């Protein structure tokens, strides 16, 4: 640029390094063209670019006299350098624009949405054969497995953490890897190897670096055992310690890391196993097949699968075998980028001030801390030790907090840094306090220790795998519809609070997992039922019904749709179809399971409130607080549990706590629990106390937000056994009171009526 070159090609990361050398350039006009703009157009690198090329980059009148410039001046200058610059025009290219990208580089329409300045859509590129349609040949698989407990004791572990480790145990088990590798390799040899004039290649996408290491080892074993003339490479960053050995990309491939991409181009190398690397920007036209064993979502799904879309004279299509993601989720991820991608509205700058208040209210940092940090930060000869010294008092206050407020503060700090780095590029802020907090927050965040909670690793030593099977669940094209795809801007982030621990015996955790992955049916039956679930998930009308209708009306729609899907089993699994149609109890039990499983994912409190109370939907203002008398009242809890018991004893139902009878949204503040988790724990405890332990297994309580107020949605499944209600201090029959639903209310049956009802219903 100093010598007057008209076009300079570089990387954004170089700008902070060369900033001092080019800062004395005269203020000229620049066009900055950014490729792959989805990944790096926010933060300090972009600010450095603007500061170097901006109109005032020569330093101004005080540049030769640094002592004349105060730290307050430096804050204002730094803040102004972030925003739009009069002499800079920025043009960005990307196939997968994120909300930030559209707001930074897009054009705002009259309706407030943001659209690309210019567009060459995915659809047009596919139709004009510039790229291939990677969804045209998409096959999904599901895995089914059973675990065994291998110790006599039944230790208690946190359900979520233990479940995560048990799934990891299965994913990394040699049996699982060998079976999936066998499917991949045999598919490659029979369907892929001879494509592109016998030069086709495949990529295996794994979920972690350890998975990549073990996949490479399993792949090498299988290729050698079968005598196939193909070689494999692996790509991951850093070093992995596994099984007593240290593995790197270089020592596993036997060549320098920088040579992996070029070596993969050689004819004998047909497989590339990756963990994050080569999932974006990698250009290899001979890549014909992708085997996915990693959860993909959003932009990441589009970018990863698009490694297959490169064209070649002898390449007519591309194929995907996916062992994790279902077709519906992949379709949802791709749809916004098929034609025009629109941003629904601009990011609300008030979110920044909300976060500023949250940080200030935590009691960790004071105004004096921010001023002290800014003085040192902008001092010409300041040192890292001096910065650490002014950060130590806030750090000590942070460490003195309890776990929950510590998590809230750290989360708010992170959100503020990210949001300000983005918004300051769009808006010209004149509030120096925002810039001061941003600089302080970036530095403090790096000084705050992250609490690492040990996972119960020994759980993996106490179980073994009994069976494992891979079954195909779907095959064919994933179709996308024409029309603009709309994505939303940055919203207020949820509270950064860790979920509560749920201690359960190891045997119960394993039983729940085995139930989830099917063990009481044949392998073919499980595959068929999984297909039924996927077809139900793809039904838009069913989703709409489940969200807005009371449970009984939603069930009518569900049963109608379910029977239609069951009919499709005639050709694929006639034995299961015959069992469903001939055995009414089996049909009902399977329908109940599928309905409850579906409803758990699709119920929304806001839509239910609009529907109003009914036979299967009731509102309660609070769980334990008497609003009229302004005190805790066992009678309030008693009324809640009566409704729950009634739902369990009839056909199930939904209870919304935090909603008045007329639908007014009250929230849960009156119950005065420390947090949402405490509320859920208390609800579970009173259910156990009043209705028994087994009743709790038929409930699913979740917190949702409506009009920025917390409400609790308690979904009650039909109980397989009668539920009697006993409550301390309340009169009841010897065995307990028996409640059922009638019309829009709850009714207590007399002992005689209850016995007759139970006899006829549970016979």
């Amino acid at each position: 640029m100093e010598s007057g070159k008209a076009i300079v090609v570089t990387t954004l990361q170089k700008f902070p390094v060369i900033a001092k050398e080019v800062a004395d350039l005269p203020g000229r006009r620049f066009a900055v063209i950014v490729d792959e703009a989805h990944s790096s157009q926010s933060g300090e690198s972009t600010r450095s670019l603007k500061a170097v090329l901006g109109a005032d980059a020569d330093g101004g009148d005080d540049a030769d006299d640094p002592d004349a410039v105060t730290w307050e001046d430096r804050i204002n200058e730094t803040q102004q350098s972030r925003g739009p610059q009069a002499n800079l025009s920025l043009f960005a290219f990307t196939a997968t624009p994120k909300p930030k990208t559209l707001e930074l580089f897009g054009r705002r329409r009259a309706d407030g949405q943001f659209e690309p300045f210019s567009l060459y859509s995915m659809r047009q590129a596919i139709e004009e054969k510039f790229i291939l349609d990677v969804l045209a040949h998409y096959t999904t698989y599901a895995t089914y497995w059973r675990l065994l407990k291998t110790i006599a004791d039944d230790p208690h572990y946190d359900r979520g953490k233990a479940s995560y480790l048990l799934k990891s145990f299965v994913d990394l088990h040699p049996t699982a890897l060998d079976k999936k590798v066998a499917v991949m390799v045999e598919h490659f040899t029979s369907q892929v190897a001879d494509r592109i004039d016998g030069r086709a290649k495949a990529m295996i996408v794994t979920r972690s670096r350890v998975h990549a290491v073990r996949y490479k080892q399993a792949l090498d074993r299988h290729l050698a055992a079968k005598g196939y003339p193909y070689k494999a490479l692996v790509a991951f960053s850093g070093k992995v310690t596994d099984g007593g050995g240290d593995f790197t990309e270089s020592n596993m491939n036997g060549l320098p890391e920088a040579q992996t991409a070029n070596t993969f181009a050689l004819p004998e190398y047909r497989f590339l196993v990756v963990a994050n690397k080569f999932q974006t920007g990698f250009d290899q036209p001979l890549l014909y097949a992708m085997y996915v064993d990693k959860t993909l979502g959003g932009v990441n799904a589009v970018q990863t699968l698009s490694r297959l879309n490169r064209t070649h004279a002898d390449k007519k299509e591309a194929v995907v075998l996916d062992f994790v993601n279902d077709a519906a989720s992949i379709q949802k991820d791709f749809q916004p980028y098929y034609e025009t991608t629109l941003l629904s509205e601009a990011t609300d700058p008030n979110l920044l001030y909300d976060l500023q208040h949250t940080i200030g209210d935590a009691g960790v940092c004071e105004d004096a801390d921010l001023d002290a940090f800014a003085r040192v930060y902008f001092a010409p000869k300041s040192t890292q030790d001096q910065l650490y010294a002014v950060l130590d008092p806030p750090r000590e206050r942070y460490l003195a907090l309890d776990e929950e407020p510590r998590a809230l503060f750290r989360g708010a700090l992170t959100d503020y840094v990210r949001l300000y780095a983005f918004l300051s590029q769009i808006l010209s802020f004149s509030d120096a306090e925002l810039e001061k907090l941003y600089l302080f927050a970036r530095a403090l965040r790096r000084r705050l220790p992250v609490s690492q909670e040990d996972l119960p690793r020994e759980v993996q030593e106490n179980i073994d795998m009994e069976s494992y099977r891979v079954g195909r669940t779907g095959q064919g094209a994933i179709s996308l519809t024409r029309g603009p795809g709309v994505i939303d801007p940055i919203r207020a982030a949820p509270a950064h609070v860790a979920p509560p621990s749920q201690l359960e015996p190891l045997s119960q955790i394993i039983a729940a997992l085995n139930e989830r992955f099917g063990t009481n049916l044949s392998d073919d039956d499980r595959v068929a039922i999984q297909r039924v679930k996927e077809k139900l998930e793809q039904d838009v009308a069913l989703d709409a019904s489940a969200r807005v209708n009371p449970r009984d009306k939603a069930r009518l729609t569900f049963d109608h749709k379910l029977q239609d899907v069951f009919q499709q089993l005639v050709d694929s699994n006639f034995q299961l179809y015959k069992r469903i149609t001939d055995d009414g109890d089996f049909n009902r039990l399977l329908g109940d399971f599928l309905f409850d499983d579906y409803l758990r994912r699709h119920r929304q409190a806001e839509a239910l409130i609009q529907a109003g109370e009914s036979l299967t939907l009731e509102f309660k203002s609070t769980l334990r607080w008497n609003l009229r008398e302004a005190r805790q009242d066992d009678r309030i809890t008693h009324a809640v549990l009566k409704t729950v018991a009634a739902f369990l004893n009839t056909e199930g139902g939904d209870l919304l706590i935090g909603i008045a009878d007329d639908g007014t949204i009250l929230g849960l503040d009156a119950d005065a629990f420390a947090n949402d988790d405490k509320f859920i724990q208390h609800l579970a405890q009173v259910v156990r106390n009043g209705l028994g332990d087994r009743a709790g297994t038929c409930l699913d309580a979740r917190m949702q937000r409506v009009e920025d107020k917390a409400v609790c949605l308690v979904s009650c499944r039909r109980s397989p056994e009668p539920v009697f209600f006993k409550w301390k201090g309340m009169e009841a029959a010897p065995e307990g009171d028996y409640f059922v639903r009638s019309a829009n209310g709850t009714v207590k049956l007399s002992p005689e009526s209850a016995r007759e009802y139970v006899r006829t219903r549970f016979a």
Side-chain angles (χ1 to χ4, degrees):
M1 285 188 285
E2 288 176 346
S3 61
K5 292 289 186 182
I7 299 176
V8 178
V9 180
T10 183
T11 63
L12 183 64
Q13 286 72 22
K14 290 181 181 178
F15 265 90
V17 179
I18 65 173
K20 294 182 180 179
E21 282 72 16
V22 297
D24 58 351
L25 287 172
R28 293 180 297 194
R29 298 172 66 188
F30 296 93
V32 180
I33 301 175
V34 186
D35 193 22
E36 298 297 342
H38 56 264
S39 58
S40 59
Q41 284 305 296
S42 63
E44 289 302 296
S45 296
T46 303
R47 190 196 69 79
S48 299
L49 180 150
K50 293 179 178 179
V52 170
L53 301 181
D56 295 325
D58 59 352
D61 296 338
D62 295 322
D64 296 329
D65 185 9
D67 292 335
V69 183
T70 66
W71 62 268
E72 290 94 340
D73 295 330
R74 292 298 188 198
I75 288 178
N76 290 322
E77 291 172 5
T78 303
Q79 187 172 52
Q80 291 169 15
S81 70
R82 298 183 189 279
Q85 304 295 316
N87 68 323
L88 289 183
S89 296
L90 283 81
F91 302 89
F93 289 85
T94 177
T96 51
K98 293 181 179 179
K100 290 182 179 180
T101 313
L102 278 169
E103 198 165 348
L104 275 172
F105 300 101
R107 179 167 49 194
R108 189 164 192 167
R109 308 193 316 183
D111 61 3
Q113 294 185 332
F114 290 79
E115 65 181 359
F117 183 85
S118 182
L119 176 68
Y120 185 67
S121 68
M122 182 191 299
R123 178 191 61 78
Q124 185 179 355
I126 292 171
E127 291 177 353
E128 295 178 357
K129 302 187 185 306
F130 185 72
I131 61 173
L132 296 174
D133 182 0
V134 299
L135 304 184
H137 304 278
Y138 208 98
T139 302
T140 55
Y141 284 79
T143 56
Y144 304 91
W145 41 268
R146 178 179 176 83
L147 301 177
L148 291 175
K149 183 166 68 73
T150 59
I151 56 174
D153 294 337
D154 206 9
H156 285 61
Y157 297 110
D158 172 62
R159 181 187 183 92
K161 295 170 188 173
S163 298
Y164 171 81
L165 284 176
L166 291 173
K167 291 176 184 177
S168 297
F169 170 83
V170 172
D171 290 337
L172 289 171
H173 196 282
T175 299
L177 289 172
D178 287 341
K179 288 200 174 186
K180 281 187 279 193
V181 163
V183 172
M184 297 173 186
V185 173
E186 298 312 312
H187 175 269
F188 181 86
T189 56
S190 63
Q191 306 290 331
V192 177
D194 61 344
R195 302 303 175 107
I196 318 182
D197 198 23
R199 292 179 290 166
K201 300 178 183 292
M203 177 182 285
I204 300 175
V205 180
T206 69
R207 66 192 68 188
S208 75
R209 297 184 304 156
V210 175
H211 284 83
V213 168
R214 296 197 187 178
Y215 254 112
K216 173 64 161 59
Q217 295 168 334
L219 188 59
D220 288 343
R221 288 195 304 268
H222 193 87
L223 293 173
K226 292 288 188 176
Y228 292 132
Y230 311 130
K231 292 184 178 181
L233 294 168
V234 68
F236 60 89
S237 59
K239 180 179 72 174
V240 174
T241 300
D242 184 45
D246 292 334
F247 300 92
T248 65
E249 178 180 324
S250 179
N251 68 28
M252 292 196 77
N253 292 333
L255 49 91
E257 186 175 331
Q259 294 299 315
T260 300
N262 291 334
T263 304
F264 185 54
L266 298 177
E268 63 269 32
Y269 288 95
R270 297 296 194 96
F271 292 93
L272 178 61
V273 182
V274 302
N276 290 327
K277 292 184 70 174
F278 294 107
Q279 287 180 229
T280 60
F282 181 54
D283 189 356
Q284 174 49 263
L286 297 179
L287 197 60
Y288 180 92
M290 182 175 288
Y291 304 107
V292 180
D293 195 20
K294 174 185 179 179
T295 301
L296 300 176
V299 171
N300 180 250
V302 180
Q303 292 172 347
T304 299
L305 295 171
S306 293
R307 297 313 99 213
L308 291 172
N309 70 13
R310 272 50 173 179
T311 58
H312 185 280
D314 298 317
K315 181 179 175 183
K316 306 304 180 186
E317 70 276 317
V319 298
V320 179
L321 269 66
D322 196 327
F323 294 83
V324 178
N325 309 280
D326 59 72
S329 64
I330 294 297
Q331 180 188 48
K332 182 179 178 181
D333 293 333
F334 267 76
Q335 189 60 59
Y337 306 103
Y338 187 52
E339 289 201 324
T340 303
T341 307
L342 303 177
L343 179 66
S344 61
E345 58 181 321
T347 303
D348 183 2
N350 289 321
L351 296 177
L352 204 59
Y353 290 97
D354 292 341
L355 289 168
Q356 183 187 34
H357 289 308
T358 300
I359 293 169
D361 293 342
V364 173
C365 51
E366 303 169 355
D367 291 343
D369 297 314
L370 273 62
D371 290 344
F373 176 83
R375 288 191 185 92
V376 176
Y377 183 86
F378 288 106
K381 298 180 180 180
S382 63
T383 64
Q384 194 74 39
D385 289 342
Q386 290 174 318
L387 283 175
Y388 284 169
V390 297
L391 290 173
D392 280 344
R395 184 175 184 271
E396 292 303 317
R397 296 185 205 113
Y398 169 82
L399 294 174
L401 296 175
D402 292 333
E403 181 180 351
E404 182 181 326
R406 191 185 301 177
L408 287 169
F409 176 79
R410 186 184 182 89
L413 207 67
T414 299
D415 291 341
Y416 181 87
V417 168
R418 292 174 178 170
L419 187 59
Y420 182 80
F422 166 60
L423 284 176
S424 61
Q425 297 179 73
I426 302 172
L427 307 172
S428 297
F429 287 112
S430 58
D431 186 348
E433 296 300 315
L434 297 177
E435 178 71 26
K436 194 193 304 182
L437 177 57
Y438 169 72
L439 298 172
F440 174 85
R442 287 184 69 234
L444 179 61
R445 189 176 54 154
R446 291 193 290 267
R447 294 281 292 154
L448 301 181
V450 180
S451 58
Q452 297 289 346
E453 200 169 351
D454 291 335
L455 292 172
R457 298 285 173 186
E458 70 275 10
V459 70
Q460 295 182 339
E461 301 170 3
N462 298 335
I463 50 97
D464 197 3
M465 186 184 294
E466 182 185 57
S467 63
Y468 186 92
R469 181 178 181 272
V470 179
R472 190 171 64 191
T473 57
Q475 186 174 22
I478 298 177
S479 59
L480 303 176
T481 58
R482 298 193 59 167
V486 180
I487 56 179
D488 292 323
I490 300 173
R491 304 290 193 192
H496 299 263
V497 180
S501 295
Q502 297 178 348
L503 291 179
E504 296 189 15
L506 177 59
S507 58
Q508 290 185 23
I509 297 171
I510 292 177
L513 288 169
N514 284 335
E515 181 182 0
R516 163 66 179 84
F517 287 93
T519 55
N520 296 322
L521 300 165
S522 72
D523 290 336
D524 289 340
D525 291 341
R526 288 174 231 147
V527 171
I529 291 173
Q530 181 64 27
R531 289 177 180 168
V532 169
K533 291 175 62 176
E534 290 174 357
K535 288 183 179 296
L536 294 172
E537 285 293 329
Q538 296 169 12
D539 194 313
V540 177
L542 183 58
D543 172 69
S545 172
R547 288 180 185 275
V548 304
N549 282 322
R551 190 182 182 91
D552 51 341
K553 293 182 180 178
R555 184 63 190 260
L556 292 174
T557 303
F558 182 87
D559 285 345
H560 176 73
K561 298 282 187 179
L562 181 62
Q563 297 309 314
D564 287 345
V565 176
F566 278 161
Q567 289 294 325
Q568 300 174 28
L569 295 174
V570 173
D571 296 325
S572 60
N573 191 325
F574 182 74
Q575 291 302 319
L576 179 61
Y577 169 78
K578 195 171 188 305
R579 184 176 179 184
I580 291 171
T581 55
D582 292 351
D583 187 339
D585 289 339
F586 179 79
N587 188 323
R588 178 181 59 79
L589 289 174
L590 180 57
D592 289 345
F593 168 77
L594 292 172
F595 177 68
D596 291 328
D597 178 69
Y598 183 89
L599 217 61
R600 192 176 300 115
R601 295 188 300 276
H602 292 261
R603 298 299 256 173
Q604 293 294 328
E606 189 167 7
L608 293 175
I609 295 169
Q610 298 298 321
E613 292 184 318
S614 67
L615 178 68
T616 56
L617 176 62
E618 184 160 326
F619 304 153
K620 294 294 184 186
S621 299
T622 62
L623 175 58
R624 65 180 184 181
W625 190 257
N626 189 319
L627 294 176
R628 289 184 178 179
E629 301 177 12
R631 64 179 181 88
Q632 286 191 31
D633 190 343
D634 277 354
R635 292 175 299 175
I636 301 299
T637 306
H638 185 271
V640 169
L641 295 179
K642 282 197 309 183
T643 301
V644 171
F647 282 145
L648 297 177
N649 285 326
T650 45
E651 299 303 318
D654 296 298
L655 174 65
L656 275 169
I657 307 175
I659 309 297
D661 290 341
D662 62 359
T664 302
I665 301 161
L666 303 176
L668 301 173
D669 290 344
D671 278 318
F673 287 97
N675 52 55
D676 292 349
D677 299 327
K678 298 293 185 184
F679 183 99
I680 295 292
Q681 290 170 4
H682 182 78
L683 174 63
Q685 185 61 52
V686 296
V687 167
R688 285 193 293 269
N689 293 344
L691 306 179
D693 292 339
R694 297 171 68 88
T697 64
C698 298
L699 302 185
D700 179 34
R702 288 165 293 137
M703 305 300 289
Q704 296 188 9
R705 300 199 74 83
V706 183
E707 295 183 1
D708 204 31
K709 294 180 180 178
V711 299
C712 184
L713 172 59
V714 186
S715 295
C716 308
R717 301 189 293 278
R718 170 177 167 151
S719 174
E721 60 189 19
V723 176
F724 289 90
F725 180 25
K726 286 185 178 182
W727 191 244
K728 183 179 179 180
M730 301 285 182
E731 291 186 10
E735 67 275 22
D737 289 334
Y738 196 81
F739 293 94
V740 295
R741 293 290 288 179
S742 176
N744 287 7
T746 295
V747 176
K748 184 174 74 172
L749 299 183
S750 67
E752 296 78 11
S753 297
R755 283 192 289 271
E756 181 63 20
Y757 183 91
V758 169
R759 185 186 67 79
T760 57
R761 184 179 188 276
F762 297 99

